Amino acid sequence: MGIERPFWRAIAVFRVASLLYAAVLMAQHRGYAEPLTGWLVIGVMGLWTAAAIFAYSVEALRRWPLLVLDLLVAVACLLASPYVQGAQQPGDGTMPVPATWIAGPVLAWAVHGGRRLGTVAAAVVAAADLWLRIHGPDAPVLINGAVLLFMTGVVVGHVARLAKQAEERMQRAVEMEAAQRERDRLARDVHDSVLQVLALVRRRGQELGGEAAELGRLAGQQESALRSLFIRPASPPPAGVADLRTLLMRYGSAYVTISTPATPLALPGPVAEQTAAAVGAALDNVRAHCGSSARAWVFAESGDGTVTVSVRDEGPGIAAGRLEEAVAAGRLGVSQSIRGRIEGLGGQVSITSAPGEGTEIELTVPAVIGEAEEDGRTSRP
């Protein structure tokens, strides 16, 4: 993965710096009875440092054989320290020949496999270091190095694993965004070609009647199904949030045309359900007063903090005073099923109609999630 590259570069810098530090200690000859042997060990460390830096830079070589060999070389150089220090090992202040260089494999294991493998590598190197101190003459047993190795393996492994997970999530987000862009492109292309043809077939079939009417009805069903397919979200919406487009598309048919934007109309679940129910009540009125084959159009769009849905038909229209008479007679379809629902959500209803010119009902609800959720809870029947 790309996120690992900075880790491997940092480990390479650490290996070189640790090698130079070990060379400086050897040049000072502090506590080393056999400096020539020590320089031989330093030479082995230098060769392996160059080989390891190259090998870890190639992703195909970052496998178990390289990791195990890296750990074995570090332990071998560490176990060679008694031969360099000689029989008279001073107790305090004498670093092993590899000095801090032995932490390189621990870092590599941690980056490759996370904190668990980092802990395993740290345990192997720490065990070798403690074994030398326990069996060395007059050598005090110090655990400082072991503790630091374990901390290195755990912390670096944990950070490396978090970085990998973050990269995976980012990659998934990029793929989802690319898929959504492709989905939108296909939706535009289909809308400009296939959907237009199906809509034309549906209209012409209704005009011609007979067998052509059945063909038009089937074309209308396929048009509705195809529109529903392309507005289906690529990923599930957040909890408690619904896409109003999906709820409206279930009303689409050969006689009802649903037009929605390409982007989601996100509303709190209760608000979206109540708005869709109000649209359904308006379409029920169209069928009841204009006939089962009456044409209707539903348009949905988002505005400045609001979502507006319009339901229009080409029926006989509503005569002046007709709605007031219906309320007085106890028929509450418009006043409660439509106006009551929307106003209960904090929205507005506008009805435009004239005899012989059809009717248009415009429903406007707030699109602010926080406020709308509270309104939706209070408006539930």
Side-chain angles (χ1 to χ4, degrees), residues 6-354:
F7 284 98
W8 296 119
R9 286 196 293 266
I11 294 175
V13 173
F14 173 81
R15 289 178 185 270
V16 174
S18 299
L19 178 63
L20 294 177
Y21 178 58
V24 170
L25 292 180
M26 184 59 60
Q28 294 176 350
H29 293 179
R30 292 181 179 177
Y32 300 117
E34 300 292 338
L36 292 179
T37 306
W39 283 114
L40 179 61
V41 175
I42 295 292
V44 173
M45 292 166 53
L47 292 175
W48 180 249
T49 296
I53 291 176
F54 170 77
Y56 281 112
S57 66
V58 181
E59 185 175 359
L61 298 179
R62 294 183 212 139
R63 299 293 184 265
W64 283 111
L66 176 61
L67 292 166
V68 173
L69 183 59
D70 191 13
L71 190 61
L72 292 178
V73 171
V75 172
C77 292
L78 179 61
L79 295 179
S81 294
Y83 301 98
V84 180
Q85 293 172 331
Q88 300 297 325
Q89 298 185 43
D92 296 326
T94 302
M95 294 285 292
V97 176
T100 58
W101 187 81
I102 55 178
V106 177
L107 294 172
W109 278 55
V111 170
H112 180 77
R115 60 179 180 270
R116 293 183 180 178
L117 288 184
T119 302
V120 171
V124 173
V125 177
D129 181 59
L130 291 176
W131 184 86
L132 289 178
R133 294 183 181 277
I134 292 174
H135 293 83
D138 300 326
V141 178
L142 301 176
I143 63 171
N144 295 350
V147 172
L148 291 176
L149 286 172
F150 276 105
M151 291 179 62
T152 299
V154 172
V155 174
V156 174
H158 183 64
V159 172
R161 180 54 57 88
L162 290 179
K164 292 178 183 178
Q165 293 175 351
E167 184 184 33
E168 292 172 356
R169 294 191 183 99
M170 183 178 298
Q171 182 64 28
R172 286 196 297 269
V174 170
E175 292 174 355
M176 291 175 60
E177 182 180 359
Q180 186 60 44
R181 286 199 300 267
E182 179 65 14
R183 188 186 190 91
D184 294 340
R185 186 189 67 80
L186 290 175
R188 290 191 297 269
D189 293 343
V190 170
H191 180 272
D192 295 339
S193 57
V194 179
L195 291 179
Q196 297 292 348
V197 173
L198 290 175
L200 177 62
V201 172
R202 172 175 49 78
R203 289 195 300 269
R204 293 294 296 164
Q206 293 173 354
E207 294 173 357
L208 295 174
E211 295 181 357
E214 177 65 15
L215 180 61
R217 185 185 67 82
L218 295 176
Q221 292 178 351
Q222 295 304 311
E223 179 190 3
S224 299
L226 196 56
R227 289 184 185 275
S228 177
L229 174 66
F230 278 103
I231 70 165
R232 191 172 301 161
S235 59
V241 178
D243 188 354
L244 181 60
R245 302 178 307 166
T246 306
L247 300 179
L248 294 179
M249 289 305 298
R250 64 189 180 188
Y251 297 120
S253 67
Y255 305 105
V256 179
T257 300
I258 310 294
S259 298
T260 62
T263 56
L265 295 174
L267 289 174
V271 177
E273 293 172 1
Q274 292 294 321
T275 303
V279 172
L283 293 174
D284 288 341
N285 285 339
V286 173
R287 286 189 291 270
H289 299 288
C290 304
S292 58
S293 60
R295 298 284 297 126
W297 293 264
V298 178
F299 304 93
E301 60 181 352
S302 59
D304 187 12
T306 61
V307 171
T308 301
V309 183
S310 300
V311 181
R312 182 170 61 86
D313 64 66
E314 294 182 343
I318 302 176
R322 178 70 178 272
L323 295 178
E324 290 76 7
E325 294 177 1
V327 173
R331 296 192 297 272
L332 306 179
V334 174
S335 63
Q336 292 298 324
S337 297
I338 300 177
R339 192 183 299 276
R341 275 193 172 101
I342 300 303
E343 291 181 351
L345 299 173
Q348 297 178 345
V349 177
S350 173
I351 300 177
T352 303
S353 181

